[in-house]
Short mmCIF file of all heavy atoms in Angstrom, two decimals:
data_model
loop_
_atom_site.label_atom_id
_atom_site.label_comp_id
_atom_site.label_asym_id
_atom_site.label_seq_id
_atom_site.Cartn_x
_atom_site.Cartn_y
_atom_site.Cartn_z
N SER A 2 108.00 117.05 99.57
CA SER A 2 106.78 117.25 98.81
C SER A 2 105.62 117.74 99.66
O SER A 2 104.65 118.29 99.13
CB SER A 2 106.37 115.95 98.13
OG SER A 2 105.97 114.99 99.09
N GLY A 3 105.69 117.51 100.97
CA GLY A 3 104.60 117.84 101.86
C GLY A 3 103.54 116.77 101.95
O GLY A 3 102.59 116.90 102.73
N ARG A 4 103.69 115.70 101.20
CA ARG A 4 102.65 114.66 101.15
C ARG A 4 102.83 113.56 102.19
O ARG A 4 101.89 112.82 102.44
CB ARG A 4 102.61 114.02 99.76
CG ARG A 4 102.18 114.99 98.66
CD ARG A 4 101.88 114.25 97.36
NE ARG A 4 103.07 113.62 96.80
CZ ARG A 4 103.89 114.18 95.92
NH1 ARG A 4 103.66 115.43 95.51
NH2 ARG A 4 104.93 113.52 95.47
N ILE A 5 104.01 113.47 102.80
CA ILE A 5 104.29 112.42 103.77
C ILE A 5 104.73 113.06 105.07
O ILE A 5 105.64 113.90 105.08
CB ILE A 5 105.37 111.45 103.26
CG1 ILE A 5 104.94 110.83 101.93
CG2 ILE A 5 105.64 110.36 104.29
CD1 ILE A 5 106.02 109.99 101.27
N THR A 6 104.10 112.66 106.17
CA THR A 6 104.42 113.20 107.48
C THR A 6 104.66 112.08 108.48
O THR A 6 104.21 110.96 108.31
CB THR A 6 103.30 114.12 108.00
OG1 THR A 6 102.08 113.37 108.06
CG2 THR A 6 103.11 115.31 107.07
N TYR A 7 105.37 112.43 109.57
CA TYR A 7 105.67 111.50 110.64
C TYR A 7 105.48 112.22 111.97
O TYR A 7 105.74 113.42 112.08
CB TYR A 7 107.12 111.00 110.56
CG TYR A 7 107.52 110.46 109.22
CD1 TYR A 7 108.04 111.30 108.24
CD2 TYR A 7 107.38 109.10 108.92
CE1 TYR A 7 108.42 110.80 107.00
CE2 TYR A 7 107.75 108.60 107.69
CZ TYR A 7 108.27 109.45 106.74
OH TYR A 7 108.65 108.95 105.51
N TYR A 8 105.02 111.48 112.99
CA TYR A 8 104.78 112.07 114.30
C TYR A 8 105.25 111.15 115.41
O TYR A 8 105.16 109.93 115.30
CB TYR A 8 103.29 112.35 114.50
CG TYR A 8 102.72 113.37 113.55
CD1 TYR A 8 102.08 112.98 112.38
CD2 TYR A 8 102.81 114.73 113.83
CE1 TYR A 8 101.56 113.91 111.50
CE2 TYR A 8 102.28 115.67 112.96
CZ TYR A 8 101.66 115.26 111.80
OH TYR A 8 101.14 116.19 110.93
N ALA A 9 105.72 111.76 116.48
CA ALA A 9 105.96 111.00 117.69
C ALA A 9 104.63 110.53 118.26
O ALA A 9 103.60 111.21 118.14
CB ALA A 9 106.69 111.87 118.72
N ASP A 10 104.64 109.36 118.90
CA ASP A 10 103.41 108.83 119.47
C ASP A 10 102.78 109.81 120.47
O ASP A 10 101.55 109.90 120.57
CB ASP A 10 103.68 107.50 120.17
CG ASP A 10 104.01 106.38 119.20
OD1 ASP A 10 103.71 106.51 118.00
OD2 ASP A 10 104.55 105.36 119.65
N SER A 11 103.61 110.55 121.18
CA SER A 11 103.13 111.44 122.22
C SER A 11 102.34 112.63 121.69
O SER A 11 101.59 113.26 122.45
CB SER A 11 104.30 111.94 123.07
OG SER A 11 105.24 112.64 122.28
N VAL A 12 102.50 112.96 120.41
CA VAL A 12 101.80 114.11 119.84
C VAL A 12 100.81 113.73 118.75
O VAL A 12 100.10 114.60 118.24
CB VAL A 12 102.79 115.16 119.30
CG1 VAL A 12 103.80 115.55 120.37
CG2 VAL A 12 103.50 114.65 118.04
N MET A 13 100.76 112.47 118.41
CA MET A 13 99.86 112.00 117.35
C MET A 13 98.42 112.40 117.65
O MET A 13 97.91 112.19 118.75
CB MET A 13 99.97 110.48 117.21
CG MET A 13 99.16 109.90 116.06
SD MET A 13 99.93 110.24 114.45
CE MET A 13 101.38 109.18 114.56
N GLY A 14 97.77 112.99 116.66
CA GLY A 14 96.39 113.41 116.81
C GLY A 14 96.22 114.79 117.40
O GLY A 14 95.11 115.34 117.36
N ARG A 15 97.29 115.36 117.95
CA ARG A 15 97.22 116.70 118.54
C ARG A 15 98.01 117.73 117.74
O ARG A 15 97.62 118.90 117.68
CB ARG A 15 97.73 116.68 119.98
CG ARG A 15 96.92 115.77 120.91
CD ARG A 15 97.36 115.93 122.36
NE ARG A 15 98.76 115.55 122.55
CZ ARG A 15 99.72 116.37 122.99
NH1 ARG A 15 99.44 117.63 123.28
NH2 ARG A 15 100.96 115.93 123.15
N PHE A 16 99.13 117.31 117.17
CA PHE A 16 100.00 118.20 116.41
C PHE A 16 99.87 117.91 114.92
O PHE A 16 99.66 116.77 114.52
CB PHE A 16 101.46 118.02 116.81
CG PHE A 16 101.81 118.50 118.19
CD1 PHE A 16 100.85 118.86 119.12
CD2 PHE A 16 103.15 118.59 118.57
CE1 PHE A 16 101.18 119.29 120.39
CE2 PHE A 16 103.50 119.02 119.83
CZ PHE A 16 102.52 119.37 120.74
N THR A 17 100.05 118.94 114.10
CA THR A 17 100.04 118.80 112.66
C THR A 17 101.20 119.58 112.06
O THR A 17 101.34 120.78 112.31
CB THR A 17 98.73 119.30 112.05
OG1 THR A 17 97.62 118.58 112.61
CG2 THR A 17 98.74 119.08 110.53
N ILE A 18 102.04 118.90 111.29
CA ILE A 18 103.12 119.57 110.59
C ILE A 18 102.69 119.82 109.15
O ILE A 18 102.02 118.99 108.53
CB ILE A 18 104.43 118.74 110.64
CG1 ILE A 18 105.60 119.54 110.07
CG2 ILE A 18 104.28 117.41 109.92
CD1 ILE A 18 106.96 118.88 110.29
N SER A 19 103.06 120.98 108.62
CA SER A 19 102.74 121.33 107.24
C SER A 19 103.83 122.24 106.71
O SER A 19 104.69 122.72 107.45
CB SER A 19 101.36 122.00 107.15
OG SER A 19 101.34 123.21 107.88
N ARG A 20 103.79 122.49 105.41
CA ARG A 20 104.79 123.37 104.82
C ARG A 20 104.19 124.13 103.65
O ARG A 20 103.26 123.68 103.00
CB ARG A 20 106.03 122.59 104.36
CG ARG A 20 105.79 121.62 103.22
CD ARG A 20 107.00 120.70 103.03
NE ARG A 20 108.18 121.45 102.62
CZ ARG A 20 109.44 121.01 102.77
NH1 ARG A 20 109.66 119.82 103.35
NH2 ARG A 20 110.46 121.75 102.36
N ASP A 21 104.76 125.30 103.40
CA ASP A 21 104.40 126.12 102.26
C ASP A 21 105.71 126.41 101.54
O ASP A 21 106.46 127.30 101.92
CB ASP A 21 103.71 127.41 102.70
CG ASP A 21 103.20 128.23 101.53
OD1 ASP A 21 103.68 128.03 100.40
OD2 ASP A 21 102.32 129.08 101.75
N ASN A 22 105.98 125.63 100.51
CA ASN A 22 107.25 125.76 99.82
C ASN A 22 107.40 127.11 99.11
O ASN A 22 108.51 127.59 98.91
CB ASN A 22 107.44 124.61 98.83
CG ASN A 22 107.74 123.30 99.52
OD1 ASN A 22 108.11 123.28 100.69
ND2 ASN A 22 107.59 122.20 98.81
N ALA A 23 106.29 127.71 98.70
CA ALA A 23 106.34 129.02 98.08
C ALA A 23 106.83 130.08 99.05
O ALA A 23 107.41 131.09 98.63
CB ALA A 23 104.98 129.40 97.52
N LYS A 24 106.61 129.87 100.34
CA LYS A 24 107.03 130.81 101.37
C LYS A 24 108.27 130.33 102.13
O LYS A 24 108.69 130.99 103.08
CB LYS A 24 105.90 131.06 102.37
CG LYS A 24 104.68 131.73 101.76
CD LYS A 24 103.62 131.97 102.82
CE LYS A 24 102.42 132.68 102.23
NZ LYS A 24 101.36 132.93 103.25
N ASN A 25 108.83 129.21 101.73
CA ASN A 25 110.01 128.64 102.40
C ASN A 25 109.78 128.50 103.90
O ASN A 25 110.64 128.85 104.72
CB ASN A 25 111.24 129.50 102.15
CG ASN A 25 111.73 129.43 100.71
OD1 ASN A 25 111.18 128.71 99.89
ND2 ASN A 25 112.77 130.20 100.42
N THR A 26 108.62 127.98 104.27
CA THR A 26 108.22 127.93 105.67
C THR A 26 107.60 126.58 106.01
O THR A 26 106.82 126.03 105.22
CB THR A 26 107.23 129.05 105.99
OG1 THR A 26 107.83 130.32 105.68
CG2 THR A 26 106.84 129.03 107.46
N VAL A 27 107.94 126.08 107.20
CA VAL A 27 107.30 124.89 107.74
C VAL A 27 106.59 125.28 109.02
O VAL A 27 107.05 126.18 109.75
CB VAL A 27 108.33 123.76 107.98
CG1 VAL A 27 109.36 124.17 109.02
CG2 VAL A 27 107.63 122.47 108.39
N TYR A 28 105.46 124.64 109.31
CA TYR A 28 104.64 124.98 110.45
C TYR A 28 104.43 123.77 111.36
O TYR A 28 104.48 122.62 110.92
CB TYR A 28 103.26 125.48 110.00
CG TYR A 28 103.30 126.63 109.03
CD1 TYR A 28 103.25 126.40 107.66
CD2 TYR A 28 103.40 127.94 109.48
CE1 TYR A 28 103.29 127.45 106.76
CE2 TYR A 28 103.44 129.00 108.59
CZ TYR A 28 103.38 128.75 107.23
OH TYR A 28 103.42 129.80 106.35
N LEU A 29 104.17 124.05 112.61
CA LEU A 29 103.74 123.02 113.55
C LEU A 29 102.54 123.55 114.31
O LEU A 29 102.68 124.43 115.17
CB LEU A 29 104.86 122.64 114.52
CG LEU A 29 104.53 121.48 115.46
CD1 LEU A 29 104.39 120.17 114.68
CD2 LEU A 29 105.60 121.34 116.54
N GLN A 30 101.37 123.06 113.97
CA GLN A 30 100.15 123.42 114.68
C GLN A 30 100.01 122.49 115.88
O GLN A 30 99.95 121.27 115.71
CB GLN A 30 98.93 123.29 113.77
CG GLN A 30 97.61 123.60 114.44
CD GLN A 30 97.48 125.05 114.83
OE1 GLN A 30 97.78 125.93 114.03
NE2 GLN A 30 97.06 125.30 116.06
#
C-alpha cells in the first residue's frame, strides 16, 4: 500500500523508501 515502512537502525532518519504503484517503481532516497 505504501503506507507502512521499515528501516534498519543504521539508516533511520537518513533514508526514505517510497513507491509509485502507477509507475511500478520503488525508490530509496
Side-chain angles (χ1 to χ4, degrees):
S2 68
R4 294 191 296 268
I5 302 173
T6 58
Y7 309 89
Y8 296 95
D10 290 343
S11 59
V12 307
M13 185 74 70
R15 299 188 298 119
F16 291 11
T17 302
I18 188 171
S19 62
R20 66 191 296 159
D21 186 340
N22 287 343
K24 296 181 178 180
N25 290 357
T26 302
V27 63
Y28 305 95
L29 185 68
Q30 178 67 46

